[in-house]
């Protein structure tokens, strides 16, 4: 059964960017907004996608706009109270507080992905049901030019023709829904059907919607997530329990690139929510070569003798973990075009398409900017709409001109900022540390010449990604000059001798 739905806006993807876009548009007075989300619910728990988000100042630009930052704070562990405990193989522990090296940094908030998404959905349910409908367990299966068009998809990129798009979706009960919106928003991730459809319509004439990929030391790393008890025991002592608001790094007894592993746990506000422990290694690591769940259980027990593992991880969870496909960190990538317009969508005689988040730019999670850059996308689009009084034909190209330089800079920052943090190469990690400390000290001594490391600069939400990269590149140039001068001085002294 084909059911024609009336919607002014269709948003594909009900994650942070999708629901954030819906709320932003509704707050501006837009109505008839439909969000299509394939997951069963906003707070749906997927073990291998149970990420924790750090919503920093960039992400809070949107939550501030939506008046949701106070609620965000209540659900989260603030960066000002971030404590980290390192548990060594011999059981010794060291607890330290996360240093705040950048005085311009706005307090960031740690919380699970599902909690953050549900924050947006709860706001929709409470205040915006008349403007927004969210269809869970509904996926977009096809995007077509409408039947009124006399031309084929070969002319789809001709924005002067008044065309409408048909968005065909399918619900869990296999009911087919058709939408013909004025605005289609792609917030559907790296494998975006919106972007892929636009790319297919190019038919080789251009590659504007094809992802341009770049290398990174962290790309290709494999990860899986173990679910552990909320307040799991840290030893056989009955009262020695993990604190929900504490981050943990648990080191294994094994050494070497293919044997050593670590369990990484990020803080949670709610003490009754199950914790998740990330395991991130090269694809050829020994843990991925194990043949049975029993072998995996034995491996983990040998790796972490400092923990009463049988009281922390159930055999059922070990079996689930073993059969899980996990995930792989993607290459840093972006597409060079962020929008398309057919006809005049503002006069109801055409459709506009725009891409946000991973649909437009995607990268490994090294610097915590995946969700924050996506939220900033939505915020900047809101600002652009305000400048042109919600005129889509003017707003979309203006937004691209504003955002594209920052996206390119962001991809470069991902490559250089902190890609060695997963222990892939000990020497590279140490060199990174030396570079970090050198830039930090020089920036304190000569702030008018040198800037701190880009990893710190990213934490300053008042700087754009382009400005951060420019500061980083300038400092690199000065370091080369300084290094060359030192070499010349050494050679001169040697010559005098």
């Amino acid at each position: 059964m084909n059911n024609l739905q009336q919607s002014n806006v269709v948003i594909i993807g009900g994650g942070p960017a999708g629901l954030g876009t819906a709320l932003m548009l509704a707050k501006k007075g837009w109505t008839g907004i439909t969000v299509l989300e394939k997951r069963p619910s906003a707070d749906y728990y997927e073990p291998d996608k149970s990420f924790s988000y750090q919503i920093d100042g960039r992400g809070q630009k949107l939550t501030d706009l939506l008046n949701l930052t106070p609620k965000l704070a209540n659900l989260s562990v603030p960066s000002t109270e971030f404590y980290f405990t390192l548990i060594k193989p011999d059981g010794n522990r060291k607890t330290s507080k996360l240093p705040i090296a950048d005085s311009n940094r706005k307090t960031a908030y740690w919380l699970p992905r599902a909690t953050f998404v549900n924050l947006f959905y709860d706001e929709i349910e409470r205040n915006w049901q008349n403007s927004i409908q969210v269809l869970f367990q509904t996926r977009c299966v096809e995007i077509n030019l409408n039947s009124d068009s006399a031309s084929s998809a070969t002319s789809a990129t001709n924005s002067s023709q008044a065309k409408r798009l048909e968005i065909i979706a399918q619900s869990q009960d296999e009911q087919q829904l058709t939408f013909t919106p004025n605005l289609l928003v792609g917030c559907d991730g790296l494998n975006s059907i919106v972007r892929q459809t636009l790319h297919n319509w190019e038919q080789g004439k251009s590659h504007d919607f094809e992802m341009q990929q770049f290398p990174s030391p962290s790309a290709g790393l494999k990860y899986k997530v173990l679910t552990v008890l909320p307040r799991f025991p840290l030893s056989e002592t009955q009262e020695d329990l993990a604190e929900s608001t504490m981050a943990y790094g648990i080191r294994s007894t094994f050494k070497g690139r293919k044997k050593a592993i670590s369990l990484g746990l990020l803080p949670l506000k709610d003490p009754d929510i199950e914790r998740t422990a990330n395991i991130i290694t090269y694809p050829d690591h020994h843990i991925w070569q194990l043949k049975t769940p029993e072998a995996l259980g034995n491996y983990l027990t040998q790796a972490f003798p400092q923990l009463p593992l049988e009281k922390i991880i159930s055999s059922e969870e070990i079996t689930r973990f073993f059969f899980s496909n996990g995930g792989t960190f993607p290459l840093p990538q972006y597409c060079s075009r962020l929008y398309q317009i057919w006809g005049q969508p503002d006069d109801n005689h055409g459709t506009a398409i725009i891409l946000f988040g991973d649909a437009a730019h995607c990268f490994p999670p090294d610097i915590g900017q995946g969700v924050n850059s996506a939220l900033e996308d939505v915020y900047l689009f809101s600002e652009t709409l305000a400048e042109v009084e919600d005129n889509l034909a003017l707003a979309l190209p203006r937004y691209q001109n504003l955002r594209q330089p920052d996206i390119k800079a962001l991809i470069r920052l991902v490559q250089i900022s902190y890609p060695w943090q997963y222990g892939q190469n000990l020497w590279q990690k140490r060199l990174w540390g030396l570079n970090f400390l050198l830039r930090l000290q020089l920036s304190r001594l000569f702030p008018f010449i040198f800037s701190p490391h880009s990893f710190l600069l990213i934490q300053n939400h008042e700087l754009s990604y382009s400005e951060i990269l420019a500061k980083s590149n300038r400092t690199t140039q000065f370091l080369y000059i300084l290094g060359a001068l030192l070499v010349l001085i050494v050679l001169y002294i040697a010559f005098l001798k």
Side-chain angles (χ1 to χ4, degrees):
M1 179 179 177
N2 193 332
N3 184 4
L4 181 63
Q5 302 283 314
Q6 298 298 320
S7 286
N8 297 319
V9 181
V10 169
I11 300 169
I12 300 179
L19 296 184
T21 301
L23 285 168
M24 178 272 290
L25 293 174
K27 188 176 178 66
K28 293 176 69 65
W30 293 45
T31 58
I33 303 167
T34 300
V35 181
L36 308 180
E37 171 54 50
K38 61 184 179 182
R39 292 183 176 88
S41 64
D43 59 355
Y44 180 61
Y45 179 75
E46 298 174 272
D48 278 324
K49 295 183 179 179
S50 54
F51 311 119
S52 285
Y53 285 153
Q54 183 194 41
I55 309 301
D56 64 16
R58 295 179 201 282
Q60 289 174 51
K61 292 176 184 178
L62 183 62
T63 60
D64 287 347
L65 178 70
L66 301 176
N67 299 318
L68 290 177
T69 304
K71 291 184 179 180
L72 169 66
N74 289 334
L75 296 169
S76 310
V77 176
S79 58
T80 51
E81 299 176 14
F82 188 105
Y83 288 85
F84 174 79
T85 294
L86 175 66
I87 304 179
K88 298 180 180 180
D90 60 4
N92 287 330
R93 305 174 197 171
K94 181 181 179 181
T95 298
S96 55
K97 192 175 188 296
L98 181 71
I100 306 299
D102 186 350
S103 60
N104 292 317
R105 178 181 183 179
K106 191 175 181 180
T107 299
Y109 297 102
W110 290 92
L111 77 170
R113 179 189 188 277
T115 303
F116 185 59
V117 174
N118 200 53
L119 170 67
F120 281 177
Y121 182 67
D122 184 64
E123 175 68 8
I124 292 173
E125 287 290 284
R126 288 176 181 272
N127 301 310
W128 301 102
Q129 288 192 56
N130 292 334
S131 302
I132 305 169
Q133 67 167 340
V134 182
L135 302 180
F136 291 107
Q137 294 184 302
T138 303
R139 60 188 182 92
C140 175
V141 295
E142 195 172 358
I143 303 173
N144 296 317
L145 291 172
N146 69 355
S147 57
D148 292 337
S149 175
S151 58
S152 66
T154 58
S155 62
T157 57
N158 184 353
S159 61
S160 65
Q161 299 195 21
K163 300 173 183 175
R164 297 294 295 274
L165 297 182
E166 289 183 341
I167 316 304
I168 300 175
Q170 191 172 65
S171 62
Q172 184 190 29
D173 58 7
E174 298 187 355
Q175 181 183 14
Q176 184 170 296
L177 309 173
T178 301
F179 304 87
T180 56
N182 298 324
L183 175 63
L184 172 63
V185 184
C187 299
D188 47 340
L190 176 58
N191 299 314
S192 168
I193 188 174
V194 180
R195 189 194 65 249
Q196 189 58 50
T197 299
L198 290 169
H199 173 61
N200 292 340
W201 282 342
E202 290 179 328
Q203 293 195 343
K205 293 182 179 180
S206 71
H207 300 280
D208 289 345
F209 292 105
E210 182 178 3
M211 284 295 210
Q212 301 179 47
Q213 299 181 333
F214 302 86
S216 167
S218 62
L221 291 176
K222 184 172 181 177
Y223 67 87
K224 285 189 183 183
V225 179
L226 273 169
T227 301
V228 302
L229 295 175
R231 286 163 286 200
F232 61 89
L234 295 174
S235 68
E236 295 293 346
T237 303
Q238 186 173 0
E239 295 80 15
D240 189 16
L241 303 177
E243 299 177 32
S244 65
T245 56
M246 177 76 69
Y248 292 92
I250 307 171
R251 303 293 185 254
S252 72
T253 57
F254 296 136
K255 306 296 182 182
R257 187 179 73 84
K258 292 188 178 183
K259 287 281 286 184
I261 58 171
S262 294
L263 301 179
L265 296 90
L266 292 169
L268 295 175
K269 180 70 173 289
D270 189 341
D272 297 320
I273 294 180
E274 290 182 313
R275 303 292 295 270
T276 54
N278 301 312
I279 295 178
I280 304 168
T281 71
Y282 278 113
D284 61 352
H285 192 278
H286 179 70
I287 194 171
W288 313 129
Q289 315 305 319
L290 298 172
K291 303 299 183 182
T292 65
E294 292 74 21
L296 172 63
N298 291 334
Y299 175 83
L300 292 174
T301 300
Q302 295 173 30
F304 302 106
Q306 70 271 44
L307 297 177
L309 214 62
E310 72 283 354
K311 298 179 181 180
I312 299 174
I313 307 171
S314 67
S315 58
E316 292 80 10
E317 172 58 14
I318 289 177
T319 299
R320 183 210 62 79
F321 180 92
F322 177 83
F323 287 107
S324 167
N325 292 325
T328 302
F329 288 173
L331 287 164
Q333 53 196 289
Y334 72 93
C335 61
S336 59
R337 189 171 174 86
L338 306 176
Y339 78 96
Q340 183 60 275
I341 298 176
W342 289 268
Q344 299 175 352
D346 300 289
D347 296 329
N348 204 32
H349 293 294
T351 307
I353 299 180
I354 191 165
L355 302 172
F356 293 143
D358 286 355
H361 46 82
C362 187
F363 38 85
D366 309 342
I367 55 176
Q369 290 303 296
V371 65
N372 289 296
S373 62
L375 297 176
E376 192 177 52
D377 288 347
V378 179
Y379 172 80
L380 291 175
F381 184 58
S382 172
E383 293 284 284
T384 306
L385 285 171
E387 292 172 1
V388 296
E389 298 180 347
D390 289 1
N391 186 305
L392 291 173
L394 296 176
L396 270 63
R398 183 175 295 199
Y399 169 79
Q400 174 167 288
N401 291 336
L402 171 69
R403 194 56 168 161
Q404 195 64 22
D406 277 343
I407 291 175
K408 292 180 180 179
L410 171 59
I411 295 301
R412 179 57 184 158
L413 289 169
V414 170
Q415 292 180 284
I416 64 175
S417 292
Y418 199 7
W420 298 106
Q421 62 186 278
Y422 310 101
Q424 313 96 301
N425 186 300
L426 182 60
W427 289 107
Q428 290 283 3
K429 187 174 183 179
R430 287 175 177 173
L431 287 173
W432 179 91
L434 289 173
N435 182 30
F436 179 91
L437 292 174
L438 177 62
R439 291 175 185 247
L440 182 61
Q441 293 303 321
L442 288 173
S443 68
R444 289 172 174 173
L445 293 172
F446 310 104
F448 49 90
I449 298 177
F450 298 97
S451 295
H453 196 280
S454 59
F455 185 73
L456 285 182
L457 292 174
I458 288 169
Q459 299 172 14
N460 183 354
H461 67 284
E462 296 179 352
L463 295 173
S464 70
Y465 295 124
S466 298
E467 291 171 330
I468 293 168
L469 183 60
K471 287 177 176 290
S472 178
N473 288 341
R474 186 182 68 175
T475 297
T476 299
Q477 292 171 355
F478 282 127
L479 287 175
Y480 281 136
I481 293 171
L482 180 61
L485 288 174
L486 291 174
V487 170
L488 289 174
I489 290 172
V490 170
L491 292 175
Y492 179 73
I493 294 174
F495 178 77
L496 290 178
K497 291 181 179 180

